[in-house]
């Protein structure tokens, strides 16, 4: 099993305790995602991921990130790519619109590298990568990027009816077919999604009949992931509980085809991120 979305520094978690989380949920390895922002809202630095990979090369799948508003953002990515260490880019989580020119320059480089890119989509005041309606334009332009959707506004768009972000970022109740996220997963070979956090879990559990069908239709497009901040993989130090402790039993109940479940828990990450399958 591969966790496609983890952070060092989440609620102050150390490298060692991030590895402990992987062990606790029963995963073999995980994607470690840095976030670097101009306002220093996040300082989960790429260098921390490099250190973790040097210490635990068989457990850590390293991604890199750069503040896309930097004038030298592409030059910095070129320097990092030259090391041959990184498997992808992200988590792209900044207070910028999706048509920001700096973001487009970075995506052009990721497209050259054929990297997967993990995204945080969140509309509303102080949101991240805003203007999700522009995403399809990027998906069409950068065909060699594997877009991995994540977070509140990505998963709200599992439904064709999306409440205003000031009303809720975590909609509940029946899903109306025809949502943007569902359509992009169906229509584009280079669009994927990770099932992490409360947003991913909430999307596939809010309407179980739709969720079961969604998981099976997109069995080769969905990556198991947690984005969980707890230390031990059981939520002992995190009162809401470990996301894996909630999502894994649900997935195992909903996806009763062992081959489809293996796709979601393991094989899709091997294929989409390009890691070894062992």
């Amino acid at each position: 099993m591969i966790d496609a979305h983890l952070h060092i520094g989440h609620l102050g978690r150390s490298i060692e305790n991030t590895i402990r989380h992987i062990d606790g949920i029963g995963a073999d390895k995980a994607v470690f995602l840095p976030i670097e922002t101009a306002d220093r809202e996040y300082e989960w630095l790429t260098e921390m991921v490099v250190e973790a990979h040097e210490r635990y090369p068989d457990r850590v799948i390293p991604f890199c990130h750069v503040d896309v508003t930097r004038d030298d953002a592409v030059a910095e990515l070129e320097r990092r790519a030259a090391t041959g260490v990184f498997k992808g880019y992200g988590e792209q989580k900044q207070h910028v619109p999706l048509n920001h020119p700096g973001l487009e320059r970075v995506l052009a480089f990721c497209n050259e590298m054929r990297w997967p890119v993990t995204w945080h989509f969140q509309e509303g005041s102080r949101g991240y990568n805003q203007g999700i309606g522009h995403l399809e334009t990027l998906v069409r332009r950068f065909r060699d990027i594997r877009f991995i959707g994540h977070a509140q506004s990505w998963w709200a768009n599992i439904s064709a009816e999306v409440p205003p972000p000031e009303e809720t970022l975590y909609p509940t109740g029946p899903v109306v077919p025809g949502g943007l996220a569902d359509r992009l997963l169906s229509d584009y070979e280079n669009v994927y999604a990770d099932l992490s956090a409360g947003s991913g879990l909430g999307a596939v559990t809010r309407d179980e009949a739709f969720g079961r069908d969604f998981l099976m239709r997109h069995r080769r497009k969905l990556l198991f992931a947690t984005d969980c901040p707890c230390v031990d993989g059981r939520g002992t130090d995190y009162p809401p509980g470990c996301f894996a402790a909630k999502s894994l039993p649900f997935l195992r109940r909903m996806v009763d085809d062992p081959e489809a479940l293996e796709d979601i828990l393991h094989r899709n990450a091997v294929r989409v991120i390009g890691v070894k399958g062992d």
Side-chain angles (χ1 to χ4, degrees):
M1 186 167 71
I2 295 174
D3 184 340
H5 195 130
L6 271 186
H7 301 287
I8 308 166
H10 214 159
L11 297 186
R13 186 171 55 194
S14 66
I15 292 173
E16 290 76 15
N17 280 336
T18 311
I19 297 297
R20 184 179 168 197
H21 183 275
I22 299 171
D23 291 336
I25 68 171
D28 301 306
K29 56 188 72 177
V31 175
F32 279 34
L33 297 163
I35 304 176
E36 301 186 7
T37 58
D39 56 9
R40 304 182 75 169
E41 179 181 8
Y42 293 94
E43 289 201 293
W44 300 345
L45 302 179
T46 298
E47 286 71 20
M48 296 166 62
V49 173
V50 171
E51 180 184 352
H53 181 253
E54 288 174 347
R55 291 163 61 178
Y56 300 97
D58 296 329
R59 313 299 304 281
V60 175
I61 303 166
F63 275 34
C64 62
H65 186 245
V66 66
D67 169 18
V68 301
T69 68
R70 288 174 52 171
D71 292 338
D72 66 342
V74 172
E76 178 64 13
L77 280 182
E78 289 173 342
R79 183 183 68 82
R80 292 174 179 173
T83 67
V85 168
F86 301 104
K87 295 294 186 180
Y89 175 84
E91 181 179 0
Q92 173 52 35
K93 184 177 182 180
Q94 291 182 257
H95 300 296
V96 295
L98 282 182
N99 62 356
H100 188 284
L103 176 57
E104 292 188 352
R105 286 191 292 270
V106 163
L107 293 179
F109 179 78
C110 292
N111 194 65
E112 291 178 12
M113 294 297 300
R114 304 178 67 89
W115 273 346
V117 175
T118 296
W119 295 81
H120 185 114
F121 295 111
Q122 184 177 330
E123 301 293 317
S125 177
R126 295 288 291 170
Y128 302 96
N129 303 311
Q130 296 191 63
I132 196 168
H134 184 65
L135 176 59
E136 189 166 10
T137 299
L138 299 179
V139 167
R140 288 174 173 172
R141 184 182 306 167
F142 301 114
R143 294 285 187 166
D144 289 327
I145 289 176
R146 282 145 282 159
F147 288 76
I148 302 174
H150 154 77
Q152 295 95 328
S153 291
W154 169 264
W155 284 115
N157 277 278
I158 195 174
S159 176
E161 290 186 1
V162 181
E166 59 271 15
E167 180 180 314
T168 182
L169 287 168
Y170 298 92
T172 58
V175 170
V176 177
L180 175 66
D182 194 2
R183 183 175 63 79
L184 293 179
L185 287 167
S186 295
D187 291 353
Y188 294 96
E189 291 184 359
N190 60 329
V191 176
Y192 302 86
D194 82 43
L195 294 165
S196 65
S199 55
L201 180 62
V204 294
T205 59
R206 61 183 274 193
D207 179 339
E208 286 202 2
F210 182 91
R212 185 191 299 272
D213 176 68
F214 178 87
L215 290 165
M216 290 304 298
R217 281 191 293 111
H218 298 305
R219 57 177 280 184
R220 288 180 58 80
K221 291 297 198 83
L222 303 173
L223 285 71
F224 169 74
T226 64
D227 193 15
C228 184
C230 86
V231 167
D232 60 3
R234 296 188 297 275
T236 303
D237 61 319
Y238 183 60
C242 180
F243 288 126
K246 302 172 185 179
S247 64
L248 283 172
F250 178 80
L251 289 172
R252 287 168 175 150
R253 179 165 62 87
M254 288 289 105
V255 184
D256 53 10
D257 179 339
E259 291 298 311
L261 185 62
E262 180 65 11
D263 283 340
I264 294 169
L265 296 183
H266 185 81
R267 284 194 292 248
N268 291 343
V270 171
R271 180 168 48 84
V272 174
I273 299 170
V275 298
K276 293 180 180 180
D278 54 351

